[in-house]
Amino acid sequence: MERTLLIAKPDAVQRGLVGEIIRRLENKGLKLIGLKMMQLEDAVLREHYEEHLEKSFYPGLEAYMKSSPVVVMAWEGYECTASVRLILGATHPREADAGTLRGDFAIGTGRNIAHASDSAESGKKEVARFFADKELFDYDKSEYLHIYEAHERN
Ligand code: UDP
Ligand code: MG
């Protein structure tokens, strides 16, 4: 099944929003398959945000992402990347829909609560970047019967 990465950024950790983020993804029916707290460093941030390295906001983004530990999570579910992006909301929180994490909890683009993979392909790559195989868990979730049709589950 599709896998996606979510990072609860330093502002989410500082503001006590990690549980809220997890709750919303659990409520959706997604399966948490990996979870850990980390202090991010320059090398991994440069790789993770490679597409933004040359942008004017990059130095500020790097400083923000290192400003306290983050919580990284790997989630699994049918087409889960798109679901997580919808729950997270638009990059610029003042444009994010109410009901989304960014719409409900953030104002500044540079303090927008969480990162989420933007495609199934980047989800796969980003989960592998932040988690070793042994840190990812393969288990049956009993409620799947009530969340998925058979063809979505397999
Ligand atoms: N960012 C910023 N200023 C900008 C655009 C982006 O500080 O003008 C930061 C913000 O934290 C954002 C991250 O850079 O989440 C990555 O940008 P991207 O466009 O990939 O947004 P995302 O995928 O996080 O929605
Ligand atoms: Mg992005």
Side-chain angles (χ1 to χ4, degrees):
M1 238 194 231
E2 193 171 301
R3 290 176 168 184
T4 205
L5 182 83
L6 186 134
I7 305 176
K9 293 180 175 182
D11 49 334
V13 172
Q14 292 290 341
R15 295 174 59 198
L17 293 171
V18 177
E20 178 70 23
I21 293 169
I22 293 174
R23 187 181 69 81
R24 289 187 182 207
L25 300 186
E26 284 185 327
N27 282 355
K28 178 73 171 168
L30 299 176
K31 188 205 275 188
L32 184 60
I33 58 165
L35 176 76
K36 62 182 172 181
M37 183 171 252
M38 292 177 78
Q39 174 62 52
L40 297 180
E41 288 173 0
D42 293 352
V44 73
L45 281 167
R46 283 196 205 108
E47 194 180 294
H48 179 65
Y49 282 129
E50 191 187 2
E51 63 181 313
H52 300 308
L53 274 180
E54 304 306 322
K55 307 220 173 109
S56 58
F57 62 78
Y58 185 77
L61 173 61
E62 194 180 81
Y64 158 52
M65 292 299 290
K66 292 193 303 185
S67 64
S68 78
V70 298
V71 177
V72 294
M73 310 168 197
W75 291 88
E76 194 176 85
Y78 180 67
E79 299 183 351
C80 64
T81 304
S83 296
V84 172
R85 289 291 299 201
L86 281 174
I87 291 166
L88 180 59
T91 302
H92 304 293
R94 298 188 304 285
E95 294 165 11
D97 289 336
T100 66
L101 285 163
R102 286 169 170 170
D104 289 354
F105 295 107
I107 294 174
T109 305
R111 300 288 184 272
N112 62 0
I113 301 289
H115 163 83
S117 308
D118 63 8
S119 67
E121 194 190 17
S122 59
K124 196 172 167 186
K125 209 161 66 182
E126 292 179 356
V127 167
R129 174 175 302 136
F130 286 92
F131 288 93
D133 282 347
K134 66 175 182 358
E135 295 175 318
L136 295 169
F137 295 85
D138 185 14
Y139 61 97
D140 290 328
K141 208 164 191 278
S142 57
E143 66 182 25
Y144 263 21
L145 267 183
H146 308 287
I147 289 172
Y148 293 108
E149 291 181 69
H151 76 277
E152 295 168 337
R153 208 160 46 230
N154 298 317

